[in-house]
Amino acid sequence: MNTLKISAFLLLACLIVSCSSTEKEMKETNIYATDTHSYAMPNEAVAKHLMLAIDVNFDKKIITGTATYTIESTNATEIVFDAKNLKIHKTTVDGKEVEFTLGTNDVVLGQPLSIPIKGNSKKVAIHYETTDKTEALQFLNPQQTADKTHPFLLTQGQAILTRTWIPIQDSPQLRLTYSAKVKVPKDLLAIMSAENPKAKSDDGHYNFEMKQPISPYLIALAVGDLVYKEISPRTGVYAEKSMIDKVHYEFGDMEKMVNAAESLYGAYAWDQFDVVVVPPSFPFGGMENPRLTFATPTVIAGDRSLTSLVAHELAHSWSGNLVTNATWDDFWLNEGFTVYFEMRIMEALYGKEYANMLASIGRQDLAEEIENFKDSPEATHLKLDLKGKNPDDGMNSIAYDKGYLFLRTLEEKVGREKMDVFLKEYFNKHAFSTMTTEKFVTYLHTELLAKNNVEFNTDIWIYKAGIPENASKIVSDKFQNVENAIIEWQNGTLNEADLCKKNWNIQQKIHFIRNIPKDISIEKFTALDNACNFSNATNSYIAMVWFEQSINHDYHANNVDAQIENFLMTVGRRWYVSTLYKAFKRNDKLEEAKRIYDKARSNYHSVTVNTIDEMLGVSY
């Protein structure tokens, strides 16, 4: 080979190596998945820390302030944030005001907020205020609280509502740390998903810090006339004064739950696990905001019978908060794992039979959900395609209960000991990071199935409709006893008085009410209520399932109609109220549902409102 040829060859080789290196670098810089529910372009410019300075104005029902971000970029010329129903007053980059651009508004996503930057830009500040259309915030008047003396504010960011009270890159994969300075009326306490005060300040000024990187939907704020009561040095509860002792008793097993969780899957990574009980308009049973779970007062039953919710939110400290779904299409990675973990905690504390009863009820919920989706079977996949849809559409029993059933079936296939080793390592190895379904499947096959020579078809579970034939069979002897009692009651060998005297736990009672035969006579239904007084149940879960059955059976005795209306007027938990409005609709009582909803709607959080508006086909 002559010198010219050698030179040409070396040049070509260098070009090939250079191209390969460039492609490799490009692949390495594209570390974030495509998220169709965020305008952010994090592979170009991403926020890593938020400094939030806000003033909460209860008179105007707005928040005003500044969100200042520490950013990283790959020589980008702009950084894009998500904003919805916000007033943006000005933006600065490294202290100098710059012109921002707000793009076209989308009814679900809001607007892209584009801010020009340079390759060496470090700080971006956004001066803004919320509006009366801000969906994450709910300002409550004193009459909507327990003590009825002071107003209350709560936020709810999941799934993509944080952008409605903070302009932010609102994708779950974009973890960031944050600090905050919050000003509120001096007679109120402010607490956040961060290091929290235990008592009110003298001037209404509070400082917060979240040292661990979290997803944007987990940034949360509550402001009210709250007090704190410790359960253990790392667990405690916040509530209004009239409720604090009840709440403290109800959640008295929190430290035991943390210990049980740690014994399963490793050390609790968030230092403190507190729960705040917020007013009943809160749309969920609980929300796993790090260090500060928000909980509905509907779980305060007086007998700790509904505290599996606390176990669920605690489990999120690993599955969800520690290892987070990268996009909302991967939501099952949060909830399926959390239900599985919840059941393991409940089994450790209260026994396998109790956990199986909880799981069995979840299995019933799943069967009903699959029936609801019979015309859109793709909605029963674990991995979803929610492009163009509200991610709330994927927050149903499929993610929770099919996800759980997948993991339970997997456990039975590989054995619990190997499953626990795998999950503990999974949480440890991927701590403070995000996970796609595809990445998880690869990890599962490599670290569990292949290592143990186990064959398991993940595709039919994750990418196919319905429930695979190999699904775990959940059996409960105590539920079988309930079903036997129903047969005896139906054929007349067991009367209502003796039925109500049975020493059943809460899960057995729920199972009984849910399975009252459709063809039971109205006379027997009335006799049952007369004996058991279900229409006046103080346990909110029992009340909800009884009210659903009352609607189904066209039952109107014992003032139940007024009780149902009062329930819907005072409870905002989406699962509960949607169950009852759905029952009205299913039983051709849509006008009755609309009549009640017209009065109750203003008491609900926007999350609940959006669901019920669509269900009842109404607009306001």
Side-chain angles (χ1 to χ4, degrees):
M1 188 178 290
N2 61 35
T3 303
L4 183 61
K5 288 181 178 180
I6 292 173
S7 298
F9 174 79
L10 290 174
L11 177 61
L12 179 61
C14 288
L15 285 171
I16 291 171
V17 171
S18 176
C19 288
S20 298
S21 299
T22 302
E23 288 175 3
K24 183 179 180 182
E25 288 171 6
M26 288 176 65
K27 288 179 181 178
E28 288 178 348
T29 58
N30 289 324
I31 59 175
Y32 297 106
T34 299
D35 184 351
T36 59
H37 294 106
S38 173
Y39 292 113
M41 296 184 289
N43 288 309
E44 297 179 17
V46 64
K48 304 300 288 185
H49 179 77
L50 164 64
M51 292 180 289
L52 188 66
I54 57 174
D55 186 340
V56 179
N57 189 317
F58 277 89
D59 292 330
K60 294 182 179 180
K61 296 185 178 180
I62 61 170
I63 287 175
T64 59
T66 305
T68 302
Y69 292 96
T70 303
I71 66 168
E72 295 177 359
S73 72
T74 54
N75 295 315
T77 58
E78 66 175 0
I79 184 168
V80 182
F81 295 89
D82 297 294
K84 186 179 182 185
N85 298 325
L86 295 174
K87 291 181 181 178
I88 309 299
H89 294 304
K90 72 173 184 177
T91 58
T92 65
V93 176
D94 294 329
K96 296 181 180 180
E97 187 169 353
V98 297
E99 292 294 327
F100 63 86
T101 302
L102 274 171
T104 303
N105 184 61
D106 179 270
V107 67
V108 174
L109 303 181
Q111 297 171 279
L113 170 61
S114 302
I115 301 172
I117 60 172
K118 297 178 181 178
N120 61 351
S121 298
K122 299 298 182 186
K123 300 280 187 183
V124 172
I126 306 167
H127 300 256
Y128 74 99
E129 67 180 75
T130 62
T131 68
D132 59 359
K133 294 182 179 179
T134 295
E135 296 167 90
L137 303 182
Q138 188 172 33
F139 284 93
L140 301 168
N141 63 50
Q143 288 303 308
Q144 293 173 294
T145 68
D147 291 353
K148 303 189 185 307
T149 54
H150 292 279
F152 201 100
L153 168 67
L154 62 88
T155 71
Q156 174 51 46
Q158 194 182 52
I160 56 171
L161 297 184
T162 299
R163 69 189 67 183
T164 73
W165 76 283
I166 305 171
I168 197 168
Q169 294 183 311
D170 198 8
S171 173
Q173 66 187 319
L174 304 183
R175 306 178 77 104
L176 76 172
T177 53
Y178 80 88
S179 56
K181 294 183 177 181
V182 180
K183 182 179 182 300
V184 304
K186 65 179 182 179
D187 51 355
L188 301 181
L189 176 68
I191 50 179
M192 295 191 75
S193 52
E195 294 182 21
N196 276 307
K198 300 293 192 294
K200 295 174 186 174
S201 69
D202 293 331
D203 59 3
H205 289 81
Y206 297 92
N207 295 316
F208 302 93
E209 186 173 10
M210 170 49 76
K211 297 177 181 178
Q212 297 97 330
I214 65 173
S215 297
Y217 72 91
L218 295 170
I219 301 173
L221 169 68
V223 182
D225 187 18
L226 295 163
V227 292
Y228 181 80
K229 194 168 185 178
E230 180 181 289
I231 290 174
S232 74
R234 62 173 173 176
T235 66
V237 292
Y238 292 90
E240 294 178 67
K241 293 173 187 175
S242 64
M243 294 185 64
I244 190 65
D245 290 336
K246 294 177 183 177
V247 170
H248 186 264
Y249 169 77
E250 203 76 24
F251 297 155
D253 284 342
M254 277 169 50
E255 177 63 28
K256 294 178 183 178
M257 289 182 178
V258 177
N259 288 331
E262 288 186 317
S263 68
L264 286 168
Y265 300 131
Y268 179 75
W270 305 93
D271 304 316
Q272 189 75 15
F273 180 64
D274 292 330
V275 176
V276 56
V277 173
V278 295
S281 61
F282 188 60
F284 300 132
M287 183 61 211
E288 65 273 13
N289 306 309
R291 299 180 64 102
L292 185 68
T293 284
F294 284 25
T296 170
T298 61
V299 300
I300 309 303
D303 57 5
R304 300 182 179 176
S305 61
L306 302 179
T307 53
S308 61
L309 177 137
V310 178
H312 182 91
E313 306 311 330
L314 170 62
H316 268 303
S317 301
W318 285 261
S319 51
N321 297 1
L322 196 62
V323 185
T324 310
N325 50 237
T327 75
W328 297 110
D329 290 347
D330 307 299
F331 183 58
W332 77 277
L333 292 175
N334 272 25
E335 295 299 350
F337 278 69
T338 298
V339 174
Y340 176 84
F341 199 169
E342 169 198 350
M343 296 305 166
R344 295 295 305 278
I345 294 171
M346 297 304 286
E347 179 180 330
L349 291 182
Y350 307 117
K352 188 170 184 178
E353 176 63 28
Y354 192 85
N356 273 346
M357 285 189 284
L358 290 169
S360 181
I361 287 176
R363 184 67 179 85
Q364 294 168 31
D365 292 338
L366 179 58
E368 181 180 340
E369 197 76 86
I370 289 174
E371 177 63 22
N372 292 339
F373 286 127
K374 62 184 178 182
D375 295 328
S376 51
E378 70 282 355
T380 69
H381 298 181
L382 287 177
K383 171 72 176 190
L384 297 172
D385 180 6
L386 295 170
K387 184 177 181 180
K389 301 177 182 178
N390 192 317
D392 270 1
D393 293 349
M395 296 183 178
N396 53 49
S397 185
I398 303 302
Y400 288 75
D401 297 311
K402 183 179 178 181
Y404 162 73
L405 198 58
F406 164 71
L407 292 169
R408 178 170 175 144
T409 304
L410 185 62
E411 176 209 299
E412 292 179 0
K413 182 72 174 179
V414 302
R416 175 168 285 190
E417 184 177 346
K418 292 175 181 176
M419 185 73 168
D420 283 349
V421 170
F422 166 76
L423 287 177
K424 188 173 184 178
E425 182 61 22
Y426 169 74
F427 292 130
N428 180 60
K429 187 171 183 178
H430 299 98
F432 301 106
S433 68
T434 53
M435 182 67 59
T436 64
T437 297
E438 293 73 23
K439 183 179 176 182
F440 169 73
V441 170
T442 299
Y443 184 80
L444 173 68
H445 279 279
T446 302
E447 299 299 325
L448 182 63
L449 301 179
K451 277 187 177 181
N452 294 287
N453 296 314
V454 171
E455 299 255 340
F456 192 88
N457 189 337
T458 56
D459 283 358
I460 62 170
W461 277 94
I462 296 172
Y463 303 109
K464 302 295 182 182
I467 304 301
E469 291 183 0
N470 70 330
S472 171
K473 309 298 181 187
I474 302 170
V475 177
S476 167
D477 291 339
K478 289 191 175 182
F479 275 8
Q480 186 59 56
N481 292 338
V482 171
E483 290 160 19
N484 292 340
I486 291 173
I487 294 171
E488 293 175 18
W489 172 57
Q490 191 174 17
N491 64 27
T493 58
L494 179 66
N495 65 40
E496 289 78 17
D498 290 336
L499 187 61
C500 296
K501 291 176 184 177
K502 286 189 173 291
N503 189 28
W504 285 343
N505 62 32
I506 179 67
Q507 306 305 330
Q508 288 172 291
K509 291 176 182 177
I510 295 298
H511 187 65
F512 168 75
I513 296 171
R514 277 182 154 195
N515 288 279
I516 292 174
K518 294 179 180 179
D519 60 352
I520 203 77
S521 71
I522 197 67
E523 289 77 19
K524 288 187 75 67
F525 197 89
T526 304
L528 179 67
D529 193 18
N530 289 338
C532 299
N533 199 27
F534 286 138
S535 288
N536 296 298
T538 56
N539 182 298
S540 64
Y541 195 2
I542 289 176
M544 185 266 288
V545 294
W546 175 256
F547 293 156
E548 180 186 21
Q549 288 286 33
S550 296
I551 297 168
N552 289 342
H553 288 81
D554 200 23
Y555 174 66
H556 303 284
N558 288 322
N559 204 35
V560 71
D561 293 334
Q563 295 283 46
I564 292 172
E565 182 168 333
N566 181 65
F567 189 87
L568 290 171
M569 289 290 296
T570 55
V571 172
R573 188 175 180 180
R574 182 171 63 172
W575 171 31
Y576 282 8
V577 300
S578 64
T579 295
L580 299 187
Y581 286 120
K582 193 183 299 180
F584 277 124
K585 184 178 179 180
R586 183 174 61 245
N587 289 281
D588 298 321
K589 300 176 181 179
L590 189 58
E591 292 309 310
E592 176 68 3
K594 289 180 179 179
R595 182 189 66 79
I596 297 173
Y597 183 54
D598 188 57
K599 294 192 294 183
R601 188 177 186 272
S602 61
N603 296 327
Y604 298 156
H605 189 278
S606 66
V607 169
T608 302
V609 165
N610 292 338
T611 297
I612 308 304
D613 278 1
E614 182 178 355
M615 180 188 296
L616 301 183
V618 297
S619 60
Y620 287 78

